[in-house]
Amino acid sequence: MLDLKSKNILLVEDYPAMRKAIRDTLYSLEVESLVEAENGFKAIAAMQTHKFDIVLCDYNLGAGKNGLQVLEESRLRKLLPSDAAFIMVTGEQVQSMVLSAMDNKPDEYLTKPFTAQLLLTRLERTFKRKSFFKQVDAAINDENYALAIKYCDKLLADNPGKLRTAALKKRAELAIYVQDYSTAQQIYQDILNQRELNWAMLGLAQIQCLQGHSEDAIRIFLEIIDKYPMTLEAYDLLAQSYELTDQHTEAQATLHKAITLAPQTILRQRKLATIANKTGDLEIAESACKSVVELGKYSIHKHASDFSNLAQVLNQSEKTDDALAILQSMRTEFPNDPSTALRAAIYEADIFKSRGDTEKAEAAFTEALELTQQHRQDLDKEILLEMSKACYLNKQESIADKLLEQLIKNHIDDDEFINNINAMQCTIGYENHAEELIHTTKKQLIHINNEGVKLYQQGHFTAAVELFATAFKSMPNNKTIILNMTKIMLHAIQDVGCTEKNMTEAKYYINKAQKLGVAPYKLNAIQMEYAKLALSFKNSLKKD
Amino acid sequence: MPNTTIAATDFASILAASVHDMKNSLCTIRDLIQQLKQSNTTDNQLMQLEFEASRMNNSLMHLLALYKIELEKFSLQIDEYSLNEVLNDIQAQQSALLELSQISLEVEYDSQEQLCYCDFDLISNAIGSILNNAQRYSEKHVILSAGNQNGYSYFCIEDDGAGFPEKLMASKEIDFHGGNTGLGLYFVSIIAKLHSNANKQGYIETSNTSRLGGAKFTLFLP
């Protein structure tokens, strides 16, 4: 039997009598370490200061964060160890699928009221599963997918008994993470040959979608939705497939359907708002943008752009007073943030312009220019792109070009962002304006890479490192440069031997790569290589 | 006349909200029962309380689920589980009542650790509500068992009571006017039917052929 004496438990429940009832239940199970929180904020605060093994959280927490938002935040901020159990307590049973947001599922749903024995049974089941997957989950938590796959294969080889299907499911998900689609497809197909399971169908369709076979993906997603209309992930992925094939109206309708089934998911509402903007459906765009702002209130996904998106939609519908008011509340919600201040100034200029108030529009634009000058280093890329657009529209082409040049150089290997740059240029009638710059930057990047690799192959490690270091200076936020830089640097170190200086340098670039968001699976091998070098360096120092 | 029509989705929210509130009250009642256990209240009264609370809870769950099925805002989440996992869950659900009643529940675990496919929460709760009733209407013993047979998984509850009344077995229809509506059985039969695989569908069987001489309920899932 599971021993709860040694477990640290957090109970999150707003209703005092209910809290007492669950507390009594827990004490009857000999729980000794119990912390209680009456709302989501206190729950998050408690998780920051304590290390919990079990969180029992009610979905419905009255005002403030709901249970799902507590779960999302704890997962995204890694406030819980990977072997902790998060149990969502709900009033009704069938909600479970509606509640779950994309990747964030609790370990267990418990419908209240529940007996002490039921709680214990469910906890036992959860911990059995958790301890079975302990190594795999820890590796996933570190985003070390290669290692997670190794452990998962080991579990599967050791006759996992009744957990075999669960292990296969995890193995397929891991295969998708590392883009090994054929393995994932094989697993899902094998499972489906035995039994039609919702998640295996979903996985199969997702693989078709990821491999660019959108038509096949769409067919399977529609079949899933027909058979299991509450599979909300299927709607999300179907909409994504429609988007990939430029069927925006269908994408919008699909997301709209999902939202009528489960209106509480901020990311889905945000997606709907984006698509409705594309299709020009102002009514849907406005309601979705409003929901996003509302749902963002207590969510870790809250973002200033949600406010400015709403302001833009309102401006388009000539509700300029409302639009200005939203920007004002954005300023209040995100105080002392230069990106937000710039964001507000840019859109205020827009709104005053459409009102015909040239004087105020100019004042707002001047403020935007000043903010850009002052805080250049601290501004995020999306708002800088918006600013360069505003500059083009206000005939400040040289400033606009300069901003764009820096953005292109830093993000040349971020296809999505480069697409956004192109899209921005199209909307203001500057088609192909940045094309040449993008083209030359890309060529330059390829050239540097080729040169660097050539030098490396010829054994000129130091020269290769120097070449990348120079490139790094002109494109400090470029992921390809930094990734190759770290790879070659480690080879150079192996060649010339570890020194305090080159190890510190290597560590700096690895950390920088991590900060820039280089995909963890690309960094894993490098980090392991570095750890090996660091260990042998440490040992060699000891010998001396 | 003012427009008093409630949009279907709004009604769903209202229903969900009422359920939420009622659940909280139910929890309090349950907690009180646990406290009373330590005083001199008779076990029989306590058992009655627990049974009623449990039945109210089950009815609410059924009501909400059926309503959502009607609205087509419902689909099963079928996955693979071991039969014993389901048996454990059902027993744990009923543990409070079992402690109070004089009924002994014998769970015949599946020694072969076989698997079944179902919507776990739904099935566990549906069978739990049947077991709740079985405890109420049996004399001393109830047997809960499970197994795999002819392409179906089955869960079986047998008691030593007076058996099902003729009308509950004869008609497949729910009697909304009689005293004992059989809503629980109706609910399980609907949930059973929703479980399908290839060309097979789930179903229930009720009879008075219990090994203990009373009622026998079996749920078959493909």
Side-chain angles (χ1 to χ4, degrees), chain A residues 213-230:
Chain A
H213 309 146
S214 298
E215 296 305 322
D216 290 327
I218 289 171
R219 187 178 42 76
I220 310 176
F221 285 133
L222 287 172
E223 189 188 337
I224 297 171
I225 289 172
D226 181 51
K227 285 184 177 160
Y228 312 97
M230 294 308 285

Side-chain angles (χ1 to χ4, degrees), chain B residues 128-146:
Chain B
S129 69
I130 303 290
L131 181 61
N132 195 54
N133 267 320
Q135 285 188 76
R136 182 82 170 101
Y137 296 110
S138 66
E139 295 289 331
K140 278 196 175 85
H141 298 294
V142 178
I143 303 175
L144 172 64
S145 59

